[in-house]
């Protein structure tokens, strides 16, 4: 018998939640060469200790598989942070303070570019250029509205764009007159954005994700990081279907996929944006939206791809080995996506498919069981399943009571045997899985914990919510063979929390991550871990 080679790392004395049904709970884990070599009691891993083994005393805190995000825009979220980011400030004074601070910190930038302001912060919803001129008179400023449908600019920006009182009113195209003068991010800025996105997700215990922006800018940044050995996360990029081109675009995606298999990077997903959102009636519905009086209109929203083209795109992408990720909000979009997956499965040879439908805000009850039957992963963004202004004022009145009850049906999907994966859609919503898990479990926002639960029968257990953010997301990301559970032989992608997540009374959003490991190496570590 040969002596055991000692572990590089032992984590012991913890509440280890493995997400592995063969051994759901343990006390300790040993890691060697980037892999988990033992899971068990403190005594079990004791024999793996050597003189140079690092020991982390968990002191009853939870150890989980690293979180994975099934739908995130990490590079553009990083870009928001690199630019003048107004999110989180909530009135004009707070915006101006941020702008002054940013301009002072970035003296070399020719333009001040950023965004995130809300119309509600200004009288009549429209900010004035004079406010900006007073704080940044010498450089052009261009700041996007939070919903992306307007910009706030100063006089210098108007001057550079050649806009004055004689310019004809371009109505809807007004922002384009300025934006074509705004410098595009440089390659270095895209790289910096990807690094920022990666660092933020690691800070939150996330070790892998599916990137759903998937343009060449995002993918190129990841590829460069991977080539330089800087990509510590596992990133699976969903390349983005171009709405105004046909299936011939798949050849370029396949070539890019083959060039992007570098280090921890893969690009073998295809993202199709199938409809819009309910709040502006662009989500595709089976039955029309209601008007403000509750009467049916004739508007059933929009499908961005006609069903015939959608089926052709999915069938061909499936045949080329892509795993397709469809954005579907309304019940008509969900049904069309399921139909397209069903048709592709019937016409193409059998293979291991990880197709998914993301957002799934409204699912017709007749379609619920089709996810499990077709093997399509339900990809949910649980943070949205709450009573808030967007839901109560902009959604429920226009759906009516019956369809209101069909929203974010995570509990129902699990009862049909569907596979559930969770994601954040950051920067649309918080990237923090613990906040999202709290909503999945309570259907109440962590920001307003005394509010009424939204469709409480669709709540899921903490165990199921953690599984959707670990093994479920790993499955849709194609990483479940190597990650997603704490199992001997798998890669040591792990997260340590600051408390026992499963202790009675613990609210998940109160917990935070103290240590994130990728293949046993820390990619984030809080000093409080050893404190
Ligand atoms: Zn998204």
């Amino acid at each position: 018998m040969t002596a055991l080679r000692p572990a590089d790392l032992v984590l012991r004395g913890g509440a280890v939640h493995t997400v592995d049904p063969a051994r759901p709970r343990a006390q300790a884990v040993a890691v060697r060469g980037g892999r988990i070599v033992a899971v068990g009691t403190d005594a079990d891993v004791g024999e793996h200790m050597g003189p140079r083994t690092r020991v982390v005393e968990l002191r009853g805190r939870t150890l989980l598989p690293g979180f994975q995000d099934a739908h995130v825009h990490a590079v553009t979220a990083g870009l928001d942070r690199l630019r003048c980011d107004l999110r989180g400030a909530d009135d004009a004074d707070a915006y101006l303070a941020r702008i002054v601070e940013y301009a002072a910190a970035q003296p070399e930038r020719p333009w001040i570019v950023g965004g995130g302001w809300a119309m509600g912060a200004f009288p009549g919803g429209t900010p004035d250029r004079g406010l900006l001129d007073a704080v940044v008179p010498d450089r052009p400023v261009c700041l996007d509205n939070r919903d992306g449908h307007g910009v706030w600019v100063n006089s210098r920006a108007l001057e550079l764009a050649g806009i004055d009182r004689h310019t004809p009113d371009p109505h809807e195209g007004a922002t384009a007159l300025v934006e074509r003068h705004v410098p595009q991010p440089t390659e270095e800025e895209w790289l910096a954005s990807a690094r920022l996105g990666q660092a933020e997700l690691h800070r939150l215990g996330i070790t892998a994700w599916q990137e759903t922006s998937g343009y060449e800018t995002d993918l190129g940044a990841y590829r460069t990081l991977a080539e330089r050995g800087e990509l510590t996360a596992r990133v699976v990029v969903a390349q983005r279907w171009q709405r105004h081109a046909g299936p011939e675009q798949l050849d370029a995606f396949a070539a890019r996929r083959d060039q992007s298999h570098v280090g921890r990077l893969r690009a073998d997903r295809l993202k199709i944006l199938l409809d819009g959102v309910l709040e502006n009636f662009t989500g595709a519905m089976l039955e029309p939206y209601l008007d403000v009086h509750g009467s049916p209109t004739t508007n059933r929203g929009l499908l961005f791809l006609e069903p015939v083209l959608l089926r052709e795109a999915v069938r061909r992408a499936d045949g080329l080995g892509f795993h397709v990720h469809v954005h579907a909000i309304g019940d008509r979009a969900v049904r069309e996506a399921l139909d397209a997956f069903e048709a592709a499965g019937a016409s193409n040879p059998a293979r291991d498919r990880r197709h998914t439908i993301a957002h799934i805000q409204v699912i017709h009850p007749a379609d619920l069981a089709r996810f499990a039957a077709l093997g399509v992963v339900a990809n949910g963004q649980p943070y949205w399943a709450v009573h808030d202004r967007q839901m109560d004022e902009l959604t429920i009145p226009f759906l009516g009571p019956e369809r209101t009850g069909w929203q974010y049906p995570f509990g129902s999907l699990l009862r049909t045997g569907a596979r559930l994966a969770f994601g954040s859609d950051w920067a649309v919503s918080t990237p923090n899985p613990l906040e999202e898990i709290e909503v999945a479990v309570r259907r109440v926002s962590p920001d307003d914990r005394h509010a009424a639960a939204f469709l409480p029968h669709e709540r899921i257990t903490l165990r199921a919510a953690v599984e959707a953010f670990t093994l479920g997301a790993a499955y849709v990301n194609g990483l479940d063979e190597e990650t997603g559970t704490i199992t001997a032989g798998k890669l040591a992608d792990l997260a340590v929390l600051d408390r026992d997540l499963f202790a009675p009374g613990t609210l998940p959003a109160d917990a935070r991550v103290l240590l994130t490991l990728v293949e046993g190496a820390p990619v984030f570590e809080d000093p409080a871990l050893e404190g």
Side-chain angles (χ1 to χ4, degrees):
M1 209 180 130
T2 53
L4 281 168
R5 274 193 292 136
D8 305 315
L9 172 70
V10 160
L11 303 111
R12 67 181 181 189
V16 181
H17 181 79
T18 67
V19 196
D20 179 349
R23 180 183 207 138
R25 305 288 288 181
Q27 231 182 348
V29 169
V31 175
R32 192 183 64 230
R35 289 190 183 267
I36 297 163
V37 292
V39 183
T41 62
D42 287 356
D44 293 335
V45 301
E47 59 182 299
H48 293 268
M49 304 262 275
R52 284 201 294 273
T53 302
R54 180 184 174 187
V55 179
V56 171
E57 304 292 351
L58 293 169
R59 299 191 204 96
R61 298 176 295 202
T62 288
L63 175 68
L64 293 173
F67 292 123
Q68 300 199 20
D69 192 314
H71 183 114
V72 65
H73 307 267
V75 182
T76 49
L79 184 63
D80 288 344
R81 300 214 166 173
L82 197 65
R83 294 178 154 192
C84 184
D85 189 3
L86 302 179
R87 284 168 196 81
D90 46 28
D91 61 25
D93 288 340
Y95 294 157
L96 291 168
R98 288 245 181 122
I99 294 161
V100 167
E101 189 187 343
Y102 183 84
Q106 305 283 341
E108 81 296 349
R109 283 186 189 272
W111 280 70
I112 306 295
V113 181
W117 56 272
M119 291 169 65
F122 301 98
T126 313
D128 191 273
R129 68 176 150 147
L131 294 171
L132 287 179
D133 289 343
V135 294
V136 186
D138 52 337
R139 280 185 281 173
V141 180
C142 181
L143 300 164
D144 293 324
N145 177 331
R146 197 167 285 186
D147 63 18
H149 298 291
V151 293
W152 180 20
V153 296
N154 67 352
S155 296
R156 186 78 187 108
L158 291 174
E159 208 178 295
L160 285 172
I163 299 173
D164 61 25
R165 72 189 65 210
H166 306 298
T167 305
D169 184 349
H171 301 287
E172 275 296 294
T175 61
L177 290 177
V178 176
E179 279 171 343
R180 65 168 178 242
H181 297 273
V182 174
Q184 291 302 302
T186 62
E187 208 184 316
E188 276 310 311
E189 284 174 312
W190 283 116
L191 281 180
S193 303
R195 285 190 197 99
L196 277 170
Q198 174 172 268
E200 177 65 4
L201 294 178
H202 283 337
R203 190 180 70 79
L204 298 168
I206 299 168
T207 52
W209 57 87
Q210 188 155 162
E211 167 65 57
T212 46
S213 286
Y215 293 108
E216 181 49 30
T217 43
D218 311 77
L219 177 54
Y222 284 123
R223 201 165 42 229
T224 303
L225 291 189
E227 285 162 357
R228 295 182 185 176
E230 288 185 61
L231 191 69
T232 44
R234 293 174 214 294
V235 178
V236 182
V237 174
Q239 300 189 58
R240 192 162 171 150
W241 177 270
Q242 301 297 306
R243 203 173 144 187
H244 300 293
E248 72 286 348
Q249 63 187 301
L250 287 167
D251 297 335
F253 294 155
R256 229 178 264 155
R257 170 189 63 190
D258 299 341
Q259 291 152 15
S260 302
H261 194 121
V262 185
R264 298 189 178 103
L265 179 65
R266 301 288 179 273
D268 57 354
R269 267 61 185 163
L270 176 72
K271 160 90 178 287
I272 297 178
L273 186 73
L274 189 52
D275 70 344
V277 295
L278 302 184
E279 292 83 355
N280 63 5
F281 314 117
T282 56
M285 298 299 294
L286 292 165
E287 300 297 330
Y289 290 97
L290 307 181
D291 66 17
V292 283
H293 308 292
S295 307
T297 64
T298 56
N299 181 12
R300 299 197 299 144
L302 294 174
L303 281 178
F304 296 147
L305 248 73
E306 285 309 312
V308 172
L309 178 56
L310 174 69
R311 265 171 240 196
E312 176 66 5
V314 170
R315 187 184 65 76
R316 287 177 61 169
D318 180 74
L320 287 167
F322 281 99
H323 306 274
V324 183
H325 184 135
V326 176
H327 161 124
I329 291 268
D331 54 5
R332 184 157 58 108
V334 171
R335 180 168 293 176
E336 290 294 349
L338 289 166
D339 288 351
F341 288 135
E342 186 168 15
S347 76
N348 291 341
R351 69 180 183 100
D352 185 1
R353 299 177 163 92
R354 306 292 169 99
H355 300 319
T356 187
I357 307 177
H359 306 328
I360 47 174
Q361 181 163 355
V362 185
I363 303 179
H364 190 284
D367 290 322
L368 281 169
R370 297 180 70 200
F371 283 83
L374 297 172
V376 173
V377 181
N379 190 324
Q381 285 62 56
Y383 200 70
W384 303 343
V386 296
H387 279 295
D388 59 5
R389 200 185 143 255
Q390 198 159 320
M391 177 59 68
D392 295 348
E393 294 173 28
L394 302 178
T395 305
I396 289 174
F398 307 100
L399 290 182
E402 187 179 34
R403 293 181 296 184
T404 288
W406 300 348
Q407 291 184 88
Y408 307 118
F410 305 133
S412 295
L413 282 163
L414 287 178
R415 288 186 281 276
T416 66
R419 276 185 197 270
L420 187 61
F422 277 161
S424 65
D425 210 12
W426 188 47
V428 174
S429 307
T430 171
N432 184 348
L434 291 162
E435 292 180 30
E436 299 154 45
I437 285 169
E438 180 168 319
V439 178
V441 168
R442 301 190 69 228
R443 308 276 289 198
V444 174
S445 168
D447 295 330
D448 186 14
R449 280 176 167 159
H450 299 290
F454 177 67
L455 305 177
H457 61 284
E458 296 295 355
R459 288 191 285 226
I460 63 173
T461 63
L462 178 58
R463 180 179 291 268
V466 168
E467 181 169 334
F469 262 117
T470 52
L471 183 58
Y475 182 84
V476 82
N477 292 341
L479 298 169
D480 52 307
E481 290 276 311
E482 290 275 58
T483 67
T485 65
I486 299 179
T487 305
K490 281 194 173 183
L491 295 168
D493 293 5
L494 303 167
V496 175
L497 307 189
D498 70 343
R499 67 195 68 197
D500 179 359
L501 186 64
F502 287 83
T506 298
L507 287 170
D510 290 341
R512 67 193 172 85
V513 170
L514 297 182
L515 175 67
T516 309
L517 300 166
V518 171
E519 290 172 45
V523 292
F524 166 74
E525 187 166 345
D526 189 304
L529 177 73
E530 305 278 12

